[in-house]
Amino acid sequence: MDNLALLMEGFSNALTLQNLLFALIGVLLGTAVGVLPGIGPAMTVALLLPLTYALDVTGSLIMFAGIYYGGMYGGSTTSILLNTPGESSSVVTALEGNKMAKAGRGAQALATAAIGSFVAGTLATGALVFVAPFVVEIAIGLGAPSYFAMMVFAFIAVSTVLGSSRIRGLASLFIGLTIGLVGLDGTTGQPRLTFGQPLLSGGIDVVVIAVALFAVGEALWIAAHLRHGTPATIPVGVPWMRKDDWKRSWKPWLRGTVIGFPFGAIPAGGAEIPTFLSYVTEKKLSKHPEQFGHGAIEGVAGPEAANNASAAGTLVPLLTLGLPTTATAAVMILAFNQYGIHPGPLLFQTEPVLVWTLIASLFIGNTLLLALNLPLAPLWAKLLRIPRPYLYAGILFFATLGAYAAGMQTFNIGILLLLGALGYMARRFGFPVLPIIVGAILGPEMERQLRRALQISAGDPAALLSEPVAVVVYTVIVLFLVGPPLVKALRRRFGRGGPTDGSRSGGGSTDDTDGYGAEADETVQFDAFGTQTSDGSARVIRVVRPKVGRRGK
């Protein structure tokens, strides 16, 4: 009951005219930018983050929440109408949604995606109200060894789950940790990796890092690999659903929510697994399985709900433990840090009004998005006709402006270009970007927790195993790393499945369907957040049809 009382107080703060205006502006900006091709929620949030600098902390976070959810909504529009998702978690939506659009049912696909996102977002945010304080009660009693162990788990999760190989994921993580070391040592005051440059003594601004890796790196990569001109879009009217569409969608919405939220709440990173599980579940439970692969509405409703529920679930480790486990959450934590607020167990005690106002604004932003996206869908579709040179020139301009505004130093622009080139090269050679930004953000905090644990124990490494939670987390890490290779080795040893012709890759398989339900001649390609493609390198997410027997390029 205390949680509900605090939530009502949050609504009273969020429902003021000024804060409602901030929420409206946030959802409009987030949707408008998120709907553009090749731009996912993480890039949307990173690009628009500097716009919140001039606002007070409450208005800034309310606007930021609107941008966050707006970017999620916008990504589904691009997936359905252009078959070009902004991130890997939207691949499944594109598989069925684009086929529905080509069959003249784009309006129904957009409608079930929008309503499913609203249902899942609302229910998952409601779960956040009750789950987050419970996690806080447990987290308050944890010491430095447990926090260090959980950060190690977060690092391992985002580095080994994502990417075409674990080695590339871990290499990206170490790049991020190295970036996080730049500046003065917190204990000794000695400069580290500053190369004699005084402007680096305070470290590299994390906003500059995020904008460079997501906005600049992604814009350069997409601009370099997509053809010039305006993409062919599918015309769409005002989204609406028939009675049969409602009947086939409401259960996938609920199931997608149940599948997605736990995966987001567990610090394991990514929404790819819950969207895939939702798709497989709906295909098995559907009364029309023959329509899958040809535009089944369940294949849009379930995964889109799972995607948004997982996104809301990521706020649990973000707010309660300070662990950003997805690309978007990694950028969201910067919104707190720019005001000197550090998410973690004490956040609910030190800033209760702010936290509950933010959670209330998530409900408000979700409702505004549903009210706006359904009637304005034709307008968002017209944004897809923006010529690509104008689009990416605009992205680079605003990214540069945001980097300069972060510290009012031209030096930041040089850092932006340097890290932007790093982001481009990471995509070029198939290195996931998320571990880089997570390592840069959490690296300094992990170092502080490690030093604190060792200082208390007078340098005894056994102190890292002195708490039960730490022991459990390390056990999970070992199982996480050893389990999959062991199972694969056993299957290979006893001949139980597994490809023997080398065809196992991020794309098609020799089966009737690939891992995402696509037909055998399709290749599912992930962007740099997932970085899993048919040839092991990063590609813009899309579904292509290579010649039979060849891998997609």
Side-chain angles (χ1 to χ4, degrees), residues 19 21-27 29-30 48 51-53 55 57-69 358 361:
N19 288 336
L21 181 61
F22 286 145
L24 179 62
I25 294 174
V27 297
L29 284 175
L48 298 179
L51 295 180
T52 62
Y53 282 161
L55 303 178
V57 60
T58 303
S60 173
L61 290 178
I62 288 177
M63 183 176 174
F64 201 73
I67 293 173
Y68 173 45
Y69 269 7
L358 173 63
S361 70

Side-chain angles (χ1 to χ4, degrees), residues 168 221 225 421-431 528 531 536-539:
R168 288 176 178 174
W221 173 257
H225 289 80
L422 174 64
Y424 173 83
M425 296 304 295
R427 290 161 173 80
R428 168 65 180 83
F429 295 103
F431 289 83
T531 324
S537 63
R539 292 289 186 271

